[in-house]
Amino acid sequence: MLTTDILRNSRIILALSLIAPVWAAAEFPDYPVHKAREYDISTETAGVTIGIQPLEDLSEQQNYFHTELAPKGFIPVFVVIQNGSHEDSFLFDKTKVRCGADDSNVATPKEGSKAGKALAASAVPFVGIFASMQIISNASQVQQNFLRKEMQSTTLSPGASAHGFLYVPVPKKTSRQKIHLRVPIIRAGTDDTFNLDLEF
């Protein structure tokens, strides 16, 4: 009896160890990067160009993040910033980015870690042990993917560019208003701040 239980448990553990690497191999494709001015929504100031592409289509969200973000209160916005200056460097600080329905109601976009944790936590229903283990494994991968794809603070040297996602909060159950996105950049070594303003 004891030997039968040990054998059965050993087989389950072996089966799980063989299945786990399959879960770990989840693929998250990278979003295609273009020049900043090639995006439909773009602006330029002081030689710096920014282009954005909101991913509002749920199938696109599922493809790039393996979850639907809009029903959870976020729109991933792909951002490309290019420094076209030949001599000036600029600082991009993601904590200074603001968004809102208008200038009087602006907020900071969610960081990938917070957005990823919130999304992962809300995406884990109870559906049995094997499916639950897969969902938990994928939830961890979803979080890592959010962090990896998030736009990071950086210094843009002459001719350099940076790209990544900002996770913009939106209403969950009502249609959203037009969103105003303000991205300040600072000329390195000075206090000169330039606002790149976009709406979508």
Side-chain angles (χ1 to χ4, degrees):
M1 178 81 164
L2 183 59
T3 307
T4 307
D5 288 342
I6 291 172
L7 254 151
R8 184 174 51 221
N9 290 340
S10 297
R11 287 182 188 147
I12 290 171
I13 291 168
L14 178 62
L16 290 175
S17 70
L18 293 173
I19 293 170
V22 175
W23 296 341
E27 293 290 327
F28 293 91
D30 288 327
Y31 193 76
V33 182
H34 303 290
K35 290 184 179 177
R37 64 175 44 99
E38 292 178 3
Y39 292 92
D40 290 338
I41 306 166
S42 66
T43 190
E44 182 178 346
T45 190
V48 177
T49 306
I50 183 171
I52 65 170
Q53 179 61 55
L55 270 68
E56 300 196 62
D57 183 89
L58 295 181
S59 63
E60 276 194 306
Q61 293 175 12
Q62 187 69 40
N63 182 44
Y64 292 106
F65 296 97
H66 291 197
T67 189
E68 294 177 357
L69 288 86
K72 297 172 178 72
F74 301 97
I75 291 179
V77 178
F78 191 70
V79 178
V80 177
I81 304 176
Q82 289 181 308
N83 180 2
S85 170
H86 296 293
E87 52 192 47
D88 292 325
S89 293
F90 291 89
L91 308 174
F92 165 73
D93 182 352
K94 73 177 178 183
T95 65
K96 306 282 188 211
V97 175
R98 297 290 179 260
C99 61
D102 55 44
D103 288 332
S104 63
N105 183 25
V106 294
T108 304
K110 294 289 184 187
E111 292 181 25
S113 55
K114 293 176 185 171
K117 286 177 186 172
L119 292 168
S122 66
V124 184
F126 178 76
V127 289
I129 186 155
F130 287 103
S132 292
M133 289 175 70
Q134 184 173 6
I135 290 170
I136 291 166
S137 174
N138 288 345
S140 174
Q141 292 173 11
V142 166
Q143 287 176 312
Q144 291 170 17
N145 183 53
F146 269 89
L147 290 170
R148 186 178 67 80
K149 289 185 176 173
E150 184 175 21
M151 183 80 172
Q152 299 299 323
S153 299
T154 189
T155 299
L156 294 162
S157 55
S161 66
H163 64 272
F165 281 95
L166 295 175
Y167 306 107
V168 176
V170 293
K172 290 182 188 180
K173 297 183 180 178
T174 60
S175 59
R176 71 169 180 84
Q177 297 177 332
K178 189 167 279 201
I179 294 173
H180 181 115
L181 187 67
R182 172 164 288 168
V183 180
I185 55 164
I186 302 168
R187 194 190 312 268
T190 72
D191 291 330
D192 297 342
T193 301
F194 304 93
N195 289 319
L196 297 159
D197 292 297
L198 307 111
E199 286 189 344
F200 61 95

